[in-house]
């Protein structure tokens, strides 16, 4: 049985959590955000998110109904990642760019429900960024103004924005079984695309210690939330 063949739940968010659980664990093991984070490795992870989001945000926006596009525009985070790359003067990374572009073939974002399922993955990841940001400040002296704008995101507003997303996703894609299935499929595909994007990081980090345990909602300091 594949992850998208999980028993049907009457609510969208519990179903999304269940169908993506194995992939959530896989990307946590790949990124190891709870482990000691050398600055060079942090830079590659940041670059990976930036390269992925530049393509992904355009596709999600196109798939959403016009009425939701201003809502989505107000929570885009690719500009935060770009700001961090500039602040840290990080070099270009052709391997990360190629992996991010190649990963897009996994994503089928052709309906609003699929867009919301994909958004579930990235919206959830913002929660864990609130855990990672102080760790980076303690280890490297980075701040939201210099180097952690992406993971800091919207700061104190993050929890409220996550609750708002959950309510909107349930209202827009939770009532119809076809929409729930499309959302779940897109969430699974988004995790798979992120795992493909960050494969170069995993290959370069085989000697790093295993991440410490974290809560099921924030993940390993926030790669993605369940």
């Amino acid at each position: 049985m594949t992850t998208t063949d999980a028993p049907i739940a009457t609510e969208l968010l519990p179903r999304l959590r269940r169908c993506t659980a194995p992939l959530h664990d896989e990307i946590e093991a790949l990124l190891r955000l709870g482990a000691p984070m050398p600055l060079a490795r942090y830079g590659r992870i940041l670059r990976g998110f930036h390269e992925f989001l530049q393509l992904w945000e355009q596709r999600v926006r196109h798939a959403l109904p016009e009425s939701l596009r201003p809502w989505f525009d107000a929570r885009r985070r690719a500009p935060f990642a770009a700001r961090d790359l500039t602040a840290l003067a990080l070099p270009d990374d052709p391997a990360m760019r190629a992996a991010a572009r190649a990963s897009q073939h996994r994503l089928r974002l052709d309906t609003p429900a699929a867009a919301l399922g994909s958004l579930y993955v990235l919206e959830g990841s913002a929660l864990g960024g609130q855990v990672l940001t102080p760790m980076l400040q303690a280890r490297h002296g980075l701040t939201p103004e210099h180097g952690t704008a992406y993971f800091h995101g919207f700061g104190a507003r993050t929890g409220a924005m996550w609750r708002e997303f959950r309510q909107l996703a349930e209202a827009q894609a939770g009532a119809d079984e076809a929409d729930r299935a499309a959302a779940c499929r897109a969430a699974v595909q988004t995790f798979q695309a992120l795992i493909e994007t960050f494969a170069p990081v995993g290959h370069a980090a085989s000697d790093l210690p295993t991440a410490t345990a974290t809560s099921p909602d924030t993940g390993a300091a926030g790669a993605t939330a369940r």
Side-chain angles (χ1 to χ4, degrees):
M1 183 172 72
T2 66
T3 50
T4 53
D5 292 330
I8 294 172
T10 56
E11 294 182 351
L12 177 62
L13 270 294
R15 182 171 176 181
L16 286 169
R17 188 179 302 113
R18 185 169 63 250
C19 74
T20 59
L23 293 166
H24 174 274
D25 294 342
E26 184 175 346
I27 198 169
E28 280 197 348
L30 174 64
L31 293 182
R32 304 181 189 183
L33 295 181
M37 179 75 72
L39 194 57
R41 186 162 176 272
Y42 170 65
R44 294 205 83 191
I45 291 172
L46 192 60
R47 173 69 70 180
F49 275 114
H50 179 253
E51 297 292 351
F52 181 87
L53 289 173
Q54 285 190 100
L55 303 168
W56 176 84
E57 286 186 347
Q58 295 178 40
R59 297 184 63 194
V60 168
R61 190 180 193 278
H62 181 75
L64 288 171
E66 189 171 350
S67 62
L68 289 181
R69 289 174 185 173
W71 168 85
F72 176 68
D73 289 342
R75 57 209 300 134
R76 293 172 76 155
R77 290 194 291 152
F80 293 153
R83 187 189 311 169
D84 290 337
L85 294 175
T86 299
L88 299 175
L90 293 173
D92 193 19
D93 193 327
M96 295 301 298
R97 177 177 295 113
R101 289 179 176 175
S103 76
Q104 295 295 311
H105 77 91
R106 294 186 176 276
L107 285 169
R108 179 181 169 189
L109 300 176
D110 53 356
T111 66
L116 290 166
S118 191
L119 266 165
Y120 163 80
V121 180
L122 274 300
E123 287 284 320
S125 74
L127 294 172
Q130 305 307 296
V131 178
L132 183 59
T133 300
M135 294 169 57
L136 290 166
Q137 182 168 9
R139 183 175 177 87
H140 299 296
L142 303 182
T143 66
E145 293 74 32
H146 186 84
T148 60
Y150 174 73
F151 283 105
H152 179 261
F154 296 96
R157 295 171 51 203
T158 301
M161 292 175 74
W162 171 242
R163 290 189 294 273
E164 178 189 65
F165 167 75
R166 288 168 57 102
Q167 293 169 357
L168 185 143
E170 289 284 3
Q172 295 286 326
D176 180 77
E177 168 53 23
D179 285 343
R180 290 194 296 269
C184 191
R185 180 172 57 249
V188 167
Q189 291 171 351
T190 302
F191 269 110
Q192 291 171 335
L194 285 167
I195 289 166
E196 183 173 337
T197 294
F198 288 109
V201 174
H203 295 157
S206 59
D207 58 339
L208 290 175
T210 302
T212 55
T214 55
S215 76
D217 288 331
T218 59
T224 43
R226 291 162 69 175

